[in-house]
Amino acid sequence: MTNKTYWVLKNVVIGPFLRVYNRPFARGIDKIPSTGPAMLASNHLAVMDSFYLPLLSPRQITFLAKKEYFTGTGLSGAIQKWFFTSVGQVPIDRSDKDSQTAAMATGLRVLERGELHGMYPEGTRSPDGRLYRGKTGAARTALKADVPVYPVAMIDTHKANPIGSWIPRPHRCGLVVGDPLYPADFHDAGDDYAQARALTDAIMERLAELGGQEYVKDFYAADVKTALEKGEGYPEGSEPGKGEVLGA
């Protein structure tokens, strides 16, 4: 499935510019299956992860995007809403449990149609370029649909698109696709939550290895971001340098 606006943006309007301006690289992209349902689980360093990943993917990806991307004001808000709506992204309210249930149902429908479903397990952009504890939504969806999960590590996208910026900088960025994780391998982990938690942790560990990020496995990015915004500093134990660097 590829809608016309998605194709035009990727191949005519935005894609060619980004390919020249940022010279994005892709390693392991051939691991993404050419047909059939699959989940792409990515770290989240920048708003433009949702540009670079679709640009480099051989197939169209449907993301569940936070509702704030669809409710912005002014010119930038209008452009953002138009973009995410035009390329088939689905808004979700991360604070509403009913909305999260509906989001999972939407994700399952995407996979039932045999499409690629993209999710950011961290739930929000990293506040400092590190990898944080994953939420279980992506894993629960993959387990329910019984589809493989391909970890995708975005590399240096936050340097091309720093937090708060809308015009990308000419910094090279890219992605690395890892080997798939299969839900069946986690069925012995315990109940439904234990299975989802085990698969989520495996995804995040794989992302840390692929991307070389410091992995802050005991803290959620949203909680750290909130503390920083309140001027409280990093929660104890989450300070830079306190995480793990896997595969180093």
Side-chain angles (χ1 to χ4, degrees):
M1 182 275 291
T2 302
N3 70 45
K4 292 181 179 179
T5 303
Y6 186 107
W7 188 93
V8 171
L9 289 172
K10 177 175 179 176
N11 296 288
V12 180
V13 180
I14 298 176
F17 167 74
L18 292 179
R19 287 187 183 278
V20 173
Y21 193 68
N22 292 117
R23 298 172 292 117
F25 63 86
R27 297 196 291 270
I29 200 73
D30 57 318
K31 294 178 181 179
I32 297 176
S34 58
T35 60
M39 172 81 73
L40 301 184
S42 173
N43 59 333
H44 199 10
L45 292 170
V47 170
M48 288 192 67
D49 290 336
S50 295
F51 288 63
Y52 297 116
L53 180 49
L55 174 66
L56 298 169
S57 171
R59 296 171 60 188
Q60 180 169 337
I61 308 168
T62 296
F63 287 95
L64 303 184
K66 66 178 183 179
K67 71 172 186 178
E68 288 82 0
Y69 288 161
F70 299 81
T71 58
T73 58
L75 178 61
S76 62
I79 292 173
Q80 188 171 254
K81 178 180 179 180
W82 171 80
F83 171 80
F84 283 102
T85 301
S86 297
V87 298
Q89 309 308 291
V90 181
I92 59 169
D93 183 348
R94 296 172 299 175
S95 64
D96 184 342
K97 290 186 177 180
D98 290 337
S99 179
Q100 292 172 19
T101 299
M104 181 174 177
T106 300
L108 289 172
R109 286 196 295 273
V110 170
L111 294 168
E112 287 168 359
R113 294 196 297 264
E115 299 171 11
L116 276 184
H117 180 22
M119 290 190 73
Y120 299 115
E122 288 170 281
T124 188
R125 284 172 295 161
S126 170
D128 53 19
R130 297 185 296 164
L131 184 70
Y132 284 84
R133 181 174 174 84
K135 297 186 176 182
T136 60
R140 288 188 292 110
T141 302
L143 284 160
K144 183 74 173 179
D146 192 24
V147 298
V149 181
Y150 291 80
V152 182
M154 305 304 297
I155 310 294
D156 287 345
T157 53
H158 60 310
K159 296 178 181 178
N161 173 215
I163 292 175
S165 69
W166 282 103
I167 299 176
R169 299 177 181 179
H171 193 288
R172 195 176 192 208
C173 57
L175 60 82
V176 181
V177 181
D179 293 329
L181 295 163
Y182 295 97
D185 293 336
F186 297 86
H187 288 170
D188 293 336
D191 60 17
D192 290 348
Y193 175 77
Q195 292 178 32
R197 185 73 259 166
L199 176 53
T200 299
D201 291 344
I203 291 169
M204 304 314 291
E205 289 174 5
R206 191 70 60 83
L207 288 174
E209 292 169 354
L210 291 170
Q213 289 173 274
E214 180 183 331
Y215 179 28
V216 192
K217 67 179 182 180
D218 295 325
F219 293 85
Y220 290 108
D223 294 337
V224 172
K225 188 178 294 186
T226 297
L228 293 175
E229 289 173 349
K230 290 181 177 179
E232 298 171 352
Y234 284 94
E236 185 177 355
S238 70
E239 301 90 345
K242 292 291 184 69
E244 297 181 65
V245 179
L246 303 182

